Amino acid sequence: MTTTSSPSPAENVSDGAAGEVTENIATLTPRQTTQAISGLMMGMLVAVLAGTVVSTALPRIISELEASQSVYTWVVTVELLAMTATVPLWGKLADLYNNKLLVQLSLAFFVAGSLVAGLTPNVELLLASRVVQGIGAGGLTALVQIVMAAIIPPRELGRYSGMFGAIFASATVGGPLLGGFLVDSPLGWRACFLVGVPFSLAAIILLQRTLHLPTVRRDVKIDWWGALFITSGVSIVLVWSTFAGNKFDWVSGWTFVVVGIAVVALAIAVVVEARHPEPIIPLDLFRNRTVTLSVVASMLVGLAMFGGSVFLSQYFQIAQGHSPTSAGLMSLPMIFGMLVSSTIAGGLITKYGKWKIYLVAGGVLLPVGLALLGTIDAHTGTFRMSVFMAVLGVGVGLVMQNLVLAAQNDVPARELGAATSVVSFFRSMGGTIGVSALGAVLANKVAASLGMDGSQGGGAVPDINTLPEEVKVAVQEAYGNATADLFLISVPIAVLALVAILFIKEKALLTTSAAERRAAEEPDILDT
């Protein structure tokens, strides 16, 4: 596999259609490229905003629909399960079909799920709609990065990372504020689901007008059995990680049965993938050292970072008594750290072509930031918390996108979709397992601190404003100390991620887009 500079694809392609594709894409100016990815940016805004807006509305939703406390968790979890399980499926489809059509299809799923959720009369339909939203979010998660790589050479990707960082930061910080406003307005909580619909429709129209990609033309065989067993195995693992430590013990008969079924399903999936001519996850990807190490590092980063930081909002609200809106604003230093680091590193990567130094720096800052957050308690000051979160945010900003970049830069263009989605998939799976596992640890530690029975997760999350002063202080101390323990648990996981990063070999960034490379690799399968 050649990873150094190579002759221009235009020089290697004699096929007229492929040559025209190469010419059209290669001549895109920065302005044209920005226009082409405008729909992608709007789609990402909708996907991120959907989760952050709804988080503020959940207590009101659960109350009005007369649902139980367990449903509170599942409204979030089912979307995450559907998203994680479908990412590799979308990634493989990206290697077989027109990417623009697939992005529009994922946005259509998102619109359908949002409309049903916003108009739902009961909890059951709400959960079903969240699954549909998750399928759409899975498509956006996989396809946005794939399409960017298709039209932008790896050397130039850093130039545009700041735009997506700004969108992510705006949606993450502004989501809870918008959600709180909508819930308290005459529109009510249903508007939190419906607000993204016009943006999604606008994104579909923008993509149709501005994004022009070559269409893959080939006879394909869809790997339905592989899709079935991969999705089933992964979903069972994620459901187990959600219930273990809550509904039953981590080491129990239920665990052996559920995990055993998942292992069998995934083992069958491996056999199917090894034999199918168009596997969902090509196993030869894992023969590539860079891809394998990026996958390992991404999963460990997901476990360490998502598993700890997702509980920061709860820490601010319970341990420190902030409102939900204020808690969202308290996370601003981490968001700014991610935005600034990813933007600056992206620009430097584009200018100098070196990327591993930033990946290693982020890999070092991740355990450092987690260790610093492992020292907090209920009384930690705002300045200290801001510094600790900024360190973690900078580490995340340097690691997340560059792991994907490393993998994209080291695979043939025909496997770009699979490689990108596999890295994203394992990161999402690591995050989901981390959230579930560390959530159980948090509940048990809080229950133990308060002298309660932790076998069922310590009961419902308390409303500290309704507690007597002595009980309130005890609960705040318990949550403060337990949250710190989560970050300390995450430190060795982040160190293992750093080890994987250190073994990734830096290779020169390619200066041609994936569409150009594919025109050179397979000139007979592309249409303009």
Side-chain angles (χ1 to χ4, degrees):
M1 182 183 302
T2 303
T3 55
T4 56
S5 60
S6 58
S8 169
E11 299 172 1
N12 294 329
V13 180
S14 57
D15 182 271
E20 185 177 346
V21 169
T22 302
E23 181 181 356
N24 289 341
I25 295 173
T27 56
L28 284 179
T29 65
R31 180 179 178 181
Q32 290 172 323
T33 303
T34 301
Q35 291 175 341
I37 64 175
S38 57
L40 298 178
M41 291 190 286
M42 190 169 291
M44 283 297 293
L45 173 65
V46 169
V48 177
L49 197 60
T52 56
V53 167
V54 173
S55 63
T56 311
L58 275 176
R60 188 73 60 85
I61 295 172
I62 298 303
S63 173
E64 289 193 13
L65 295 181
E66 300 180 351
S68 65
Q69 178 66 29
S70 62
V71 173
Y72 186 104
T73 301
W74 276 102
V75 171
V76 178
T77 304
V78 291
E79 185 190 20
L80 193 56
L81 288 172
M83 182 189 75
T84 303
T86 56
V87 162
L89 309 185
W90 286 107
K92 183 57 187 177
L93 290 174
D95 287 332
L96 303 178
Y97 298 106
N98 184 275
N99 286 186
K100 180 171 75 173
L101 179 62
L102 291 174
V103 175
Q104 291 173 315
L105 182 60
S106 66
L107 284 166
F109 270 105
F110 199 86
V111 168
S114 298
L115 287 172
V116 174
L119 303 174
T120 182
N122 55 54
V123 168
E124 291 77 17
L125 196 56
L126 174 62
L127 293 177
S129 68
R130 294 291 282 173
V131 171
V132 177
Q133 279 189 311
I135 294 172
L140 292 171
T141 299
L143 295 167
V144 165
Q145 296 180 91
I146 293 169
V147 172
M148 283 185 66
I151 63 176
I152 306 171
R155 180 70 181 265
E156 301 294 323
L157 275 174
R159 190 191 305 274
Y160 302 92
S161 62
M163 299 179 188
F164 285 89
I167 288 172
F168 182 83
S170 301
T172 302
V173 175
L177 297 174
L178 178 61
F181 171 78
L182 291 174
V183 170
D184 293 331
S185 74
L187 297 174
W189 61 263
R190 295 180 185 275
C192 293
F193 293 106
L194 299 176
V195 70
V197 172
F199 292 100
S200 299
L201 294 175
I204 292 174
I205 296 171
L206 272 173
L207 288 168
Q208 185 63 35
R209 296 183 61 183
T210 63
L211 183 62
H212 303 288
L213 294 173
T215 299
V216 174
R217 183 181 68 237
R218 64 156 75 157
D219 294 328
V220 298
K221 295 181 179 179
I222 303 299
D223 182 14
W224 296 113
W225 286 110
L228 172 65
F229 284 108
I230 290 172
T231 304
S232 299
V234 170
S235 298
I236 292 170
V237 169
L238 296 178
V239 169
W240 164 76
S241 69
T242 301
F243 285 135
N246 184 8
K247 300 297 184 182
F248 50 82
D249 292 335
W250 286 96
V251 181
S252 64
W254 275 109
T255 288
F256 287 116
V257 171
V258 175
V259 173
I261 294 173
V263 169
V264 170
L266 293 174
I268 295 174
V270 169
V271 174
V272 172
E273 297 301 271
R275 297 181 177 181
H276 200 278
E278 294 284 355
I280 297 296
I281 300 179
L283 297 183
D284 61 355
L285 277 177
F286 295 98
R287 298 193 184 108
N288 184 305
R289 171 177 167 174
T290 301
V291 173
T292 301
L293 289 172
S294 296
V295 164
V296 171
S298 290
M299 185 168 184
L300 292 170
V301 168
L303 278 165
M305 192 276 292
F306 287 115
S309 61
V310 76
F311 297 103
L312 276 174
S313 178
Q314 189 178 63
Y315 163 82
F316 287 128
Q317 293 183 58
I318 298 179
Q320 296 204 332
H322 292 282
S323 67
T325 301
S326 177
L329 292 174
M330 291 290 286
S331 64
L332 199 60
M334 186 164 71
I335 302 302
F336 276 147
M338 293 170 58
L339 172 60
V340 171
S341 64
S342 63
T343 302
I344 293 177
L348 293 174
I349 290 171
T350 296
K351 184 175 182 179
Y352 297 107
K354 301 293 184 182
W355 51 268
K356 186 173 179 180
I357 184 174
Y358 307 107
L359 197 54
V360 173
V364 171
L365 289 175
L366 273 177
V368 170
L370 291 167
L372 290 172
L373 287 167
T375 66
I376 65 175
D377 57 30
H379 310 289
T380 301
T382 301
F383 178 76
R384 283 183 63 199
M385 282 296 303
S386 298
V387 172
F388 296 168
M389 288 189 295
V391 173
L392 181 62
V394 171
V396 173
L398 293 175
V399 168
M400 299 292 270
Q401 185 59 35
N402 287 329
L403 283 173
V404 177
L405 176 63
Q408 290 177 334
N409 188 59
D410 201 29
V411 295
R414 68 180 182 277
E415 293 184 345
L416 177 70
T420 303
S421 63
V422 163
V423 175
S424 300
F425 164 70
F426 278 96
R427 183 178 65 220
S428 297
M429 188 166 73
T432 306
I433 294 173
V435 169
S436 302
L438 293 183
V441 172
L442 175 70
N444 289 329
K445 284 185 175 292
V446 168
S449 298
L450 299 176
M452 300 165 56
D453 179 13
S455 61
Q456 296 300 319
V461 176
D463 181 355
I464 62 170
N465 295 319
T466 64
L467 300 176
E469 187 61 29
E470 291 186 3
V471 178
K472 176 180 176 180
V473 170
V475 169
Q476 289 181 312
E477 292 286 352
Y479 271 89
N481 295 332
T483 304
D485 288 342
L486 297 189
F487 288 110
L488 289 177
I489 292 172
S490 300
V491 171
I493 300 174
V495 171
L496 291 176
L498 173 60
V499 172
I501 288 171
L502 290 174
F503 282 98
I504 296 177
K505 184 178 180 181
E506 182 163 26
K507 298 183 179 181
L509 290 175
L510 299 170
T511 56
T512 52
S513 69
E516 293 176 276
R517 300 202 305 274
R518 190 153 192 182
E521 294 170 5
E522 302 173 273
D524 296 329
I525 67 166
L526 295 177
D527 285 333
T528 54

